[in-house]
């Protein structure tokens, strides 16, 4: 029964917007499915397991059984090849075989020569209902796309098993589908799998935002300060078992940054920030974005966006685990290691000397480079602990920039907000008197404000485009954001980093909102 | 005795709809007429203002509830299944269509030539509607709402089981099922009862009146409550039925973390389901699917099939492959009440 069960799981995941509901569905899967199918399902969902049958092969298969005109009309209507095949497939009469299990599918796909794949897949399709047919086709063509990250799957494993998610993250990259050893451990039938030399992810130490109350209690001599660089936090791990670059959430992003992997000719685990350098200076985040989420990368991309890792911490030197040492000791070890090994494309994030907290506050307020989000404060004696432990590391972001912008379009949210117009596109006035959009925000307001905005939007709609409503120019938002950058993707030519609604300016008429020139003056990467 | 006249000589497409010329009556007319025969109570088939209305007893009761006393025909005439009437020399009788309670096919015979207008119909089991009965004829007039080979409705019991599994998995959440107020709503309730769901079922206000009509016509529905007055906590783990337009809109805010389901044949296509923000699509339809359409057209043995509304291209093409003549009638105004994808923000 396991492919139909898997199909039902996929269908629920595809249609379920809420994170908690997705977690509940995954936990139900882990709790009810036999091995190895639960592990194969997990691998398929997180795309750790991918098959690459061509969609055209599936289409050719269905065409041997379908009238071409009826196929054309159906495909026109449905729009998706895999779904059309799944729906239109007419099982041969008299087929009585049970549907395959995931394990049978994986084994047979591995053992079958390419030329015999159509017959194999056709035979399976005959045993399945339409939803299981769709699951099978998506599985063999490698396109499940159900909106579940490996990170979310690990959280579900943690909630289901009662093991801390950090522990699961530590072993995750040391286990492989169908994850027998992982499930044996989580079932309580075996000890935690030992990754040995496999390059695994160690959960990162994270910081809390610093509030004014916390600030007053800080004694300068107990703390170390660094810039908070605006890049991507990474963990670089290398040794005899291989080299990996992991994102903050434990995703393996090695393939997108081959030049870093090449530079990692050492045996250590490092914590740092992935940045783009331009003429020796850290470039704005938008540049780094060009390099993210790529499965491979061209030589030109590597030349145009020079990637480096600015190091924060040393977790392992060879086999030696430094995480229990105080920050100062690790820092000394990091500097010594860097002097000794000197890998290309890596430098250290400098410590910022300071005598008083006030002096630090002045430094923070003066930091206006696009590449700096603010300051990091780390306690001198802090061990390197997984997760967000309060009181050891603080992030102290500089005050946001603000602009008064006019609400232009509203769109419904997801999940709990699906009945509310909660996503707002706002704009500022251009010289010619036209309002041009500069960004989109869906946070920062209270529940009461959301209810009020929702009603206002419904009563002041001037136009509809599918789920989007255009509204009267009647609401001014004070929008807070961390930085403004030039952008070719927006009509206004500018993009905001982390925009959120700071206030609804009910006192301000739309004509008095800011103009584009005001926003442009805040842009940090203007030419010249 | 010559050859019987071809049905196209006496059953004609007029601006009001299908008109039986010798009988002087229209079937499901789109505008007010003198004499109307109504197949079933959906508003795209049953319109107000006719002088004389002939239909099943159930359809007349449904029409009166929906339109108000006196608007559902100045005079009403009930024709039970199995009885025949002669109107100006045209023999007329009704056969169950299996679509909703009271739904009928209109069978007509004129000078030895027989035509059957089936209205909307389905072949799946439905505890609230008498099952479809095939009548052999010279011309069979069919709908084509789901006339594409991608529409093959799964077993409705399996879909109900899917709903109940979801209720078990999310016992703190309200399951709100979007469904049309005439037919689908009561069928869902009756199927839930058959599956052993004996807890109260909550209704959106728009669904209450027709449930009462069904009960008064002898269809038991168990304990029903109005969701509109229920407290949020009372709706945890409950099943609520509401119009499709209400399930993802403001009305649904009163529910406890709702799981949004919609029961419709359109849910078979994912993109359709996702457009409406549906979390749990249930493929339960009151219309014939592709296989049922073709099987029915074969069963009535008609050499000629007329298609009223829907996806006539595919059906006519498939019939031609079987040596049957198909003709698209292009009737206006049909297919507008139920099984249409929900319009955003439509008044509930």
């Amino acid at each position: 029964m396991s492919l139909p069960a898997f199909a039902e799981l996929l269908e629920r995941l595809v249609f379920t917007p809420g994170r908690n509901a997705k977690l509940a569905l995954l936990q139900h899967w882990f709790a009810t499915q036999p091995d190895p199918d639960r592990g194969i399902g997990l691998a398929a969902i997180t795309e750790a397991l991918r098959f690459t049958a061509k969609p055209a092969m599936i289409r050719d298969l269905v065409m041997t059984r379908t009238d071409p005109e009826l196929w054309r009309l159906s495909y026109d209507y449905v729009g998706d090849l895999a779904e059309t095949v799944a729906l239109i497939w007419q099982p041969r009469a008299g087929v009585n075989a049970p549907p395959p299990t995931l394990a049978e599918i994986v084994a047979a796909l591995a053992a079958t020569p390419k030329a015999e794949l159509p017959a194999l897949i056709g035979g399976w399709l005959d045993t399945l209902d339409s939803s299981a047919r769709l699951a099978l086709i998506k599985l063999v063509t490698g396109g499940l796309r159900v909106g579940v990250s490996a990170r979310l799957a690990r959280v579900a494993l943690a909630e289901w098993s009662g093991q801390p998610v950090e522990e699961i993250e530590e072993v995750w990259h040391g286990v492989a589908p169908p994850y027998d050893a992982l499930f044996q451990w989580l079932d309580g039938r075996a000890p935690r799998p030992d990754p040995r030399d496999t390059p695994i992810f160690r959960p990162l130490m994270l910081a809390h935002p610093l509030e004014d109350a916390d600030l007053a209690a800080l004694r300068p001599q107990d703390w170390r300060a660094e810039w908070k660089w605006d890049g991507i936090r990474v963990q670089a791990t290398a040794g005899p078992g291989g080299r990996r670059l992991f994102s903050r959430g434990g995703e393996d992003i090695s393939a997108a940054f081959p030049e870093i992997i090449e530079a990692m000719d050492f045996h250590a685990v490092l914590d740092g920030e992935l940045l783009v350098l331009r003429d020796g200076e850290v470039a704005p985040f938008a540049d780094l974005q060009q390099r993210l989420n790529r499965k491979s990368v061209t030589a030109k991309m590597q030349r145009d966006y020079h990637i480096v890792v600015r190091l924060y911490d040393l977790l392992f030197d060879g086999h030696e685990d430094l995480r229990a040492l105080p920050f100062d000791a690790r820092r000394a070890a990091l500097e010594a290691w860097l002097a000794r090994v000197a890998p290309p494309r890596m430098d250290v994030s400098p410590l910022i000397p300071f005598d008083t907290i006030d002096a630090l506050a002045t430094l923070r307020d003066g930091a206006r480079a696009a590449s700096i989000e603010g300051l990091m404060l780390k306690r001198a004696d802090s061990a390197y602990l997984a997760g967000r432990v309060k009181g050891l590391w603080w992030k102290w972001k500089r005050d946001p920039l603000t602009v008064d912008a006019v609400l232009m379009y509203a769109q419904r949210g997801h999940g709990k907000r699906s009945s509310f117009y909660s996503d707002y596109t706002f704009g500022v006035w251009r010289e010619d008197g036209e309002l041009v959009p500069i960004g989109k925000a869906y946070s920062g307001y209270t529940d009461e404000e959301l209810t009020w905005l929702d009603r206002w939007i419904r009563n002041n709609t001037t136009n509809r485009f599918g789920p989007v409503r255009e509204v009267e120019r009647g609401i001014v938002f004070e929008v807070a954001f961390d930085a403004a950058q030039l952008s070719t993707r927006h009509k206004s030519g500018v993009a905001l980093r982390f925009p959120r609604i700071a206030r609804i300016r009910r006192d301000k008429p739309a004509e008095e909102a800011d103009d584009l020139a005001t926003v442009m003056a805040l842009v940090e990467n203007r030419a010249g | 005795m010559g050859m019987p006249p071809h049905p196209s000589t006496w059953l004609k497409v007029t601006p009001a709809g299908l008109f039986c010329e010798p009988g002087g009556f229209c079937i499901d007319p789109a505008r007010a007429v003198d004499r109307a025969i109504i197949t079933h109570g959906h508003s795209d088939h049953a319109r107000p203002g006719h002088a004389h209305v002939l239909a099943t007893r159930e359809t007349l009761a449904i029409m009166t509830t929906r339109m108000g006393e006196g608007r559902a025909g100045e005079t009403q005439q009930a024709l039970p299944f199995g009885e025949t009437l002669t109107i100006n020399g045209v023999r007329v009788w009704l056969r169950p269509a299996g679509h909703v309670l009271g739904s009928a096919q209109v069978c007509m015979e004129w000078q030895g030539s027989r035509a059957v207008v089936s209205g909307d119909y389905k072949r799946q089991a439905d505890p609230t509607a008498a099952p479809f009965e095939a009548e052999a004829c010279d011309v069979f007039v069919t709908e084509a709402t789901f006339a594409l080979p991608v529409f093959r409705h799964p077993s409705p019991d399996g879909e109900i089981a899917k709903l109940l599994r979801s209720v078990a998995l999310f016992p703190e959440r309200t399951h709100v099922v979007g469904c049309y107020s005439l037919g689908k709503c009561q069928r869902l309730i009756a199927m839930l009862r058959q599956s052993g769901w004996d807890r109260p079922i909550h209704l959106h206000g728009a669904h209450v009146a027709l449930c009462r009509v069904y009960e008064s016509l002898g269809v038991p529905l168990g304990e029903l409550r109005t969701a509109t007055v229920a407290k949020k906590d009372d709706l945890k783990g409950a099943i609520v039925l509401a119009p499709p337009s209400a399930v993802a809109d403001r009305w649904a805010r009163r529910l406890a973390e709702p799981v949004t389901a919609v029961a419709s044949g359109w849910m078979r296509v994912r993109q359709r389901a996702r457009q409406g923000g549906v979390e749990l699509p249930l493929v339960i339809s009151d219309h014939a699917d592709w296989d049922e359409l073709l099987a029915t057209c074969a069963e009535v043995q008609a050499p000629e099939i007329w298609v009223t509304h829907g996806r006539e291209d595919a059906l006519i093409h498939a019939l031609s492959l079987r040596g049957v003549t198909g003709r698209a009638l292009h009737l206006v105004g049909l297919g507008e009440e139920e099984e249409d994808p929900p319009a955003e923000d439509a008044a509930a």
Side-chain angles (χ1 to χ4, degrees):
Chain A
M1 267 310 283
S2 100
L3 185 61
F6 184 62
E8 183 164 343
L9 172 69
L10 289 186
E11 194 166 291
R12 295 295 319 252
L13 287 173
V14 164
F15 286 111
T16 299
R19 183 173 183 275
N20 288 340
K22 282 193 164 98
L23 287 172
L25 292 163
L26 290 169
Q27 290 182 48
H28 182 70
W29 173 261
F30 301 141
T32 56
Q33 293 302 309
D35 288 321
D37 275 35
R38 63 175 165 173
I40 296 171
L42 171 62
I45 286 169
T46 56
E47 304 197 9
L49 182 71
R50 280 179 75 94
F51 301 102
T52 53
K54 293 272 180 293
M57 183 264 275
I58 306 287
R59 190 192 54 223
D60 294 346
L61 185 59
V62 76
M63 290 309 287
T64 62
R65 299 189 182 192
T66 308
D67 175 78
E69 179 67 4
L70 293 177
W71 165 264
R72 186 186 66 77
L73 290 166
S74 298
Y75 186 31
D76 268 4
Y77 178 80
V78 176
D80 177 81
L81 179 71
E83 190 172 2
T84 313
V85 174
L87 292 176
I88 209 169
W89 186 267
Q90 183 76 306
R92 276 182 214 288
V95 172
N96 244 335
T101 65
L102 290 176
E104 285 164 358
I105 292 169
V106 170
L109 286 176
T112 305
K114 208 170 166 189
E116 291 167 31
L117 275 181
L120 177 73
I121 292 169
W124 283 332
L125 289 174
D126 281 339
T127 68
L128 300 171
D129 69 8
S130 69
S131 125
R133 290 195 294 263
L134 182 60
L136 178 70
I137 295 167
K138 295 269 182 191
L139 183 67
V140 300
T141 56
L144 286 178
R145 285 192 290 273
V146 290
V148 173
S149 64
R151 163 84 194 165
L152 190 74
R154 291 194 293 270
V155 172
L157 285 168
E159 290 188 358
W160 161 69
S161 66
Q163 294 286 352
V165 69
E166 291 81 10
E167 299 251 322
I168 294 170
E169 284 180 337
E170 282 229 359
V171 301
W172 181 257
H173 292 281
V175 292
Y179 307 113
D180 287 336
L182 177 73
F183 280 109
Q184 280 190 16
W185 166 51
L186 295 177
D187 282 342
R189 291 182 282 126
R192 202 174 86 148
D194 179 1
R196 297 175 195 280
D197 277 331
T198 319
I200 59 165
F201 172 70
R202 272 91 179 178
L204 296 181
M205 182 158 175
L206 303 172
H208 271 273
L210 185 67
E211 309 289 342
D212 288 347
D214 307 314
L215 184 63
L218 297 184
R219 297 194 311 163
Q221 64 269 31
D222 297 340
W223 294 87
R224 305 291 174 258
E226 295 172 46
W227 295 118
K228 184 171 179 1
W229 299 100
D230 188 13
I232 297 282
R233 184 92 179 271
V234 290
Q235 182 171 95
T237 175
R243 304 174 185 183
R244 295 278 186 283
L245 194 63
F246 294 114
S247 73
R248 200 178 108 113
E251 305 310 320
D252 183 350
I253 55 170
S254 310
F257 302 99
E259 64 267 57
I260 298 297
I261 294 297
E262 194 188 325
M264 286 163 52
D265 186 16
F266 49 70
H267 186 183
V269 178
L270 297 148
D271 182 344
E273 194 87 11
L274 200 66
L275 299 166
V276 170
L277 282 196
R278 200 169 288 290
D279 306 326
E281 297 288 320
V282 175
F285 188 77
D287 282 20
L288 185 55
Q289 250 172 340
Q290 303 294 324
R291 291 287 307 265
L292 297 178
N293 302 319
R294 288 176 188 276
K295 295 241 188 303
S296 65
V297 56
T298 62
K300 181 173 185 329
M301 292 294 292
Q302 293 188 39
R303 274 197 311 277
D304 289 353
Y305 299 95
H306 183 78
I307 297 280
V308 300
V309 178
R310 187 148 289 173
L311 300 173
Y312 293 135
D313 223 314
L314 178 62
L315 280 59
F316 280 77
D317 184 356
H319 284 291
E320 188 189 355
D321 186 347
L322 307 181
R323 289 180 291 179
L325 298 179
F327 175 82
D328 278 351
R330 292 200 313 278
R331 176 78 195 192
L334 172 65
E335 288 175 10
W337 180 89
L338 195 65
R340 189 177 82 233
V341 180
R345 293 179 183 273
M346 294 193 193
D347 61 12
V348 66
S349 174
L351 289 179
I352 305 167
F354 65 98
D355 295 322
T356 64
I357 297 296
D358 282 350
L360 210 49
T362 310
L363 275 172
R364 163 183 168 269
D365 293 341
R368 277 291 167 214
S371 52
I372 292 175
E373 285 186 275
L375 290 172
M376 289 295 303
L377 300 182
K378 299 178 177 176
R379 228 168 74 178
D381 61 356
S382 57
Y384 192 97
L385 300 175
R388 212 180 287 274
V389 182
K390 198 154 188 182
L392 298 182
W393 286 12
W394 298 107
K395 55 182 170 189
W396 195 16
K397 284 197 180 187
R398 63 188 186 187
D399 289 333
L401 303 164
T402 64
V403 63
D404 288 336
V406 183
L407 173 64
M408 299 176 71
Y409 307 97
Q411 188 169 358
R412 290 203 204 197
H414 296 281
K416 274 187 179 164
R417 285 189 184 162
S418 60
S419 75
F420 289 96
Y421 285 88
S422 60
D423 300 4
Y424 308 122
T425 301
F426 44 82
V428 292
W429 299 106
R430 202 165 58 187
E431 229 171 25
D432 60 5
E434 199 192 332
L435 204 54
V436 286
I438 54 168
K440 198 171 171 180
Y442 25 82
S443 67
Y445 39 74
T446 64
D447 286 353
E448 289 74 35
E449 285 172 330
L450 176 60
T451 307
W452 182 85
L453 283 166
D454 180 71
R455 191 174 326 117
W456 190 91
I457 287 157
R458 289 169 190 271
N459 292 335
N460 292 276
T461 300
T462 56
N463 221 335
R464 290 192 195 186
F465 313 94
V468 177
R469 287 176 181 236
E470 186 172 6
V471 295
E472 297 278 359
R473 312 305 189 212
I475 297 276
V476 176
F477 289 135
E478 182 180 315
V479 177
F481 54 98
D482 286 7
Q485 290 159 5
L486 291 181
S487 159
T488 50
R489 280 190 305 185
H490 293 75
K491 194 177 175 185
S492 59
V494 64
L496 307 183
R497 184 120 163 90
F498 296 133
R500 61 266 182 192
I501 309 297
R503 272 199 298 161
I504 307 172
R505 294 291 307 264
R506 298 181 209 199
D507 57 315
K508 200 165 204 179
E511 313 78 72
E512 289 176 26
D514 282 322
D515 54 22
L516 188 55
T518 308
V519 181
M520 280 297 178
L522 300 171
V523 168
E524 289 137 353
N525 60 339
R526 274 176 303 173
Chain B
M1 286 295 289
M3 285 274 289
H6 189 276
S8 62
T9 62
W10 56 273
L11 185 62
K12 296 189 169 167
V13 177
T14 70
L18 272 175
F19 178 59
C20 175
E21 212 165 60
F25 56 84
C26 278
I27 299 161
D28 293 347
R31 54 176 77 161
V33 298
D34 189 39
R35 293 183 69 89
I37 302 182
I38 304 298
T39 58
H40 66 283
H42 280 139
S43 63
D44 52 336
H45 293 259
R47 293 173 196 269
H50 308 308
H52 182 82
V53 173
L54 177 80
T56 61
R57 176 177 77 98
E58 293 85 356
T59 297
L60 292 173
I62 289 165
M63 287 175 69
T64 304
T65 301
R66 303 191 99 183
M67 299 167 187
E69 221 36 79
R71 302 244 306 138
E74 287 162 33
T75 59
Q76 296 187 338
Q77 184 180 5
L79 181 60
F81 294 127
E83 285 184 17
T84 302
L85 205 68
T86 302
I87 305 173
N88 300 334
V90 181
R91 292 181 65 233
V92 175
W93 67 103
L94 302 178
R95 285 262 201 188
H99 178 56
V100 298
L101 178 63
S103 66
Q105 310 171 68
V106 179
C107 310
M108 293 158 285
E109 198 171 271
W110 165 249
Q111 297 182 351
S113 158
R114 190 185 293 173
V116 172
V117 178
S118 55
D120 292 331
Y121 65 98
K122 71 169 174 288
R123 308 300 300 268
Q124 277 185 345
D126 177 347
T128 65
F132 181 96
E133 291 174 9
E135 179 78 66
C137 53
D138 300 302
V139 161
F140 182 68
V141 184
T142 183
E143 58 146 321
T145 307
F146 289 114
L148 277 177
V150 293
F151 290 110
R152 289 195 172 91
H153 306 324
S155 140
D157 294 339
E159 299 298 289
I160 291 290
K162 195 199 282 181
L163 171 63
L164 292 178
R165 278 201 298 280
S166 183
V167 174
L169 187 58
F170 298 109
E172 295 295 298
R173 302 176 69 187
T174 305
H175 281 66
V176 55
V177 185
C179 56
Y180 294 92
S181 60
L182 169 55
K184 188 69 61 64
C185 169
Q186 298 79 18
R187 182 185 180 200
L188 288 175
I189 296 171
M191 287 198 302
L192 282 165
R193 298 304 184 207
Q194 281 183 340
S195 307
W197 183 263
D198 50 12
R199 290 159 53 184
I201 292 174
H202 293 77
L203 300 176
H204 183 281
H207 283 1
V208 174
L210 283 163
C211 287
R212 298 288 170 239
V213 175
Y214 266 59
E215 288 175 315
S216 73
L217 291 168
V219 181
L221 298 176
E223 187 183 346
L224 304 177
R225 291 188 190 163
T226 309
T228 316
V229 297
K231 292 201 182 68
K232 207 171 219 175
D233 273 356
D234 296 342
L235 293 176
K236 283 185 176 173
I239 295 177
V240 176
L241 304 185
S245 56
V247 296
D249 205 13
R250 282 173 284 184
W251 180 85
R253 288 180 199 163
R254 73 194 68 225
L255 308 175
E257 278 191 82
V259 174
T260 306
V262 166
S264 161
W266 297 116
M267 293 297 113
R268 175 100 165 148
V269 177
R270 278 190 176 192
Q271 197 50 39
R272 271 294 181 80
R274 294 180 88 164
Q275 272 168 3
V278 178
E279 198 171 334
L280 182 63
L282 301 173
V283 187
I284 300 178
S285 175
D286 287 332
H287 291 267
D289 70 4
W290 176 250
D291 291 333
E292 293 173 19
L293 288 168
L294 289 175
T296 305
C297 289
E299 214 174 320
V300 297
Q301 300 166 26
E304 196 169 318
I305 305 283
W306 296 357
V307 186
T308 53
H309 62 288
R311 320 215 123 249
E312 54 265 14
D313 300 0
L315 184 59
I316 289 171
H317 174 75
L319 289 170
S320 76
L321 298 178
R322 291 161 174 75
V324 173
T325 305
R327 174 185 164 201
L329 299 184
H330 303 298
L331 294 186
V332 295
L334 291 180
E336 283 170 7
E337 165 160 340
E338 34 88 65
E339 297 291 13
D340 250 18
E344 203 208 11
D345 284 346

